Amino acid sequence: MPDTSDAPVGAASTAGATAGATVSEKELAAELTAVVGRLMRRLRTSSSGLLLSPTQRSALSRLDRSGPMTTAALARAEYVRPQSMRGTVGYLEEQGLVGRAPDPGDGRQLVVSVTARGRAVLAEVRASKRSWLTQALTDHLTEAEQRTLAESVALMERLVEES
């Protein structure tokens, strides 16, 4: 077991947990939050060459998953101010990634939806992330570690679905 005496608290408790020591729920929650955050940042950087900010990618992805919506509804869904979302949608529209059309339920409003070009960019972003992660799994984890990770993913999925 590596010496973790000078390691940050999370590193020490993770190393201890793998050696059979018990980690408190609070420590586990803190470590899981930190590592998931780092993983998300790393995945975002794997597709950074596509010239979209994380906010723009998130808005585009939300529209793809949820379907057309007003800028105000998109801002609420993304937890940002409507003024900020107007700027984001404006940029996405300039790039040809989204389009606006009258709301079928209320013709006074406009809804934003993903264009075919927007879907192609999203597919490229997702493929880039999967490619990086697949290569990282292959390069850095043994088959046994990959199985353990697969079990952990199932547990995390259960946490998300049941909470």
Side-chain angles (χ1 to χ4, degrees):
M1 179 168 77
D3 176 18
T4 59
S5 57
D6 293 329
V9 172
S13 57
T14 300
T18 58
T22 303
V23 176
S24 76
E25 287 87 356
K26 269 187 164 177
E27 289 171 321
L28 181 57
E31 291 174 17
L32 186 57
T33 300
V35 76
V36 167
R38 287 194 315 268
L39 176 62
M40 294 305 296
R41 283 189 296 280
R42 183 59 187 93
L43 286 168
R44 276 194 297 268
T45 63
S46 72
S47 60
S48 63
L50 299 172
L51 302 178
L52 291 178
S53 73
T55 301
Q56 293 160 348
R57 282 189 297 234
S58 182
L60 190 60
S61 183
R62 165 111 28 212
L63 287 168
D64 187 50
R65 284 189 320 270
S66 301
M69 62 180 72
T70 64
T71 302
L74 182 57
R76 280 190 303 275
E78 291 290 306
Y79 301 102
V80 298
R81 293 186 344 255
Q83 300 88 330
S84 298
M85 188 54 70
R86 277 196 292 276
T88 298
V89 168
Y91 178 81
L92 294 172
E93 188 173 31
E94 286 172 14
Q95 301 305 308
L97 306 176
V98 300
R100 299 180 205 228
D103 184 335
D106 180 356
R108 297 171 295 170
Q109 294 189 35
L110 294 175
V111 293
V112 182
S113 59
V114 180
T115 64
R117 177 169 152 63
R119 282 190 184 78
V121 166
L122 281 172
E124 189 177 341
V125 165
R126 291 169 180 151
S128 180
K129 289 177 181 183
R130 277 191 305 274
S131 176
W132 173 82
L133 190 52
T134 299
Q135 193 64 50
L137 291 169
T138 301
D139 291 349
H140 302 290
L141 298 181
T142 66
E143 286 184 27
E145 289 170 327
Q146 289 178 32
R147 284 191 298 276
T148 300
L149 186 57
E151 292 169 4
S152 298
V153 168
L155 291 174
M156 289 190 300
E157 181 68 29
R158 196 171 93 204
L159 279 176
V160 171
E161 295 301 318
E162 292 178 3
S163 297

